[in-house]
């Protein structure tokens, strides 16, 4: 069966050789980069956007070999977080930092600080810096 002209036109648009890359000129700050999702995501972003355009962050020293720059960042430290975004011209924040349930059950105050206040910091900093 032959596709209608409209379907052919849509298919040409969707599967054209020119791929739109909306994040091409972006600088991305990735929090929680040493977690289960953060490690492969940092690799993929650095591969796609270039290592100079991605900053992987997490609390403490770096445990993995990242293809991009790594910075130590506690997401509850709003001043340091904001400075890192400002100084590096960050356009997107990918916020993955969080305390999972096992540790959070033993230390609920830490879980609230990181999960709630860390997320609030990410949103406020993104708003203040047009991210």
């Amino acid at each position: 069966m032959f596709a209608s002209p409209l379907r052919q036109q849509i298919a040409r648009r969707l599967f054209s050789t020119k791929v739109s890359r909306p994040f091409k000129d972006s600088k991305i700050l990735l929090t929680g980069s040493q977690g289960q999702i953060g490690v492969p995501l940092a690799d993929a972003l650095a591969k796609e956007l270039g290592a100079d355009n991605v900053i992987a962050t997490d609390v403490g020293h770096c445990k993995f070999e990242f293809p991009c720059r790594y910075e130590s960042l506690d997401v509850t430290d709003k001043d340091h977080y904001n400075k890192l975004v400002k100084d590096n011209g960050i356009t997107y924040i990918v916020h993955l930092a969080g305390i999972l349930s096992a540790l959070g059950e033993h230390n609920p105050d830490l879980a609230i600080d990181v999960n709630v206040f860390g997320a609030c910091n990410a949103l406020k900093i993104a708003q203040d810096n047009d991210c």
Side-chain angles (χ1 to χ4, degrees):
M1 182 148 255
F2 295 100
S4 72
L6 179 59
R7 284 188 182 186
Q8 289 174 348
Q9 185 180 5
I10 292 170
R12 274 195 301 276
R13 284 187 186 166
L14 291 176
F15 301 107
S16 70
T17 55
K18 280 187 173 179
V19 177
S20 173
R21 294 182 59 196
F23 303 107
K24 185 178 145 207
D25 297 321
S26 301
K27 296 273 293 187
I28 296 180
L29 179 80
L30 175 64
T31 68
S33 65
Q34 296 192 93
Q36 192 172 7
I37 296 170
V39 173
L41 183 57
D43 286 338
L45 288 171
K47 209 176 278 181
E48 181 68 25
L49 302 173
D52 294 340
N53 295 318
V54 180
I55 300 174
T57 68
D58 210 318
V59 68
H61 68 282
C62 186
K63 301 174 198 168
F64 298 96
E65 186 106 2
F66 288 106
C68 57
R69 186 170 126 210
Y70 176 84
E71 291 278 338
S72 179
L73 173 67
D74 178 347
V75 294
T76 64
D77 182 354
K78 189 175 179 182
D79 292 336
H80 182 228
Y81 198 165
N82 192 47
K83 183 174 174 17
L84 199 55
V85 168
K86 240 181 207 152
D87 290 353
N88 292 285
I90 299 299
T91 54
Y92 288 91
I93 297 171
V94 179
H95 180 74
L96 299 177
I99 302 296
L100 301 179
S101 60
L103 179 58
E105 289 171 13
H106 293 338
N107 195 340
D109 291 336
L110 177 65
I112 290 169
D113 283 348
V114 173
N115 297 350
V116 177
F117 298 121
C120 287
N121 286 344
L123 293 169
K124 182 65 176 150
I125 290 166
Q127 181 183 37
D128 292 347
N129 293 283
D130 294 324
C131 295

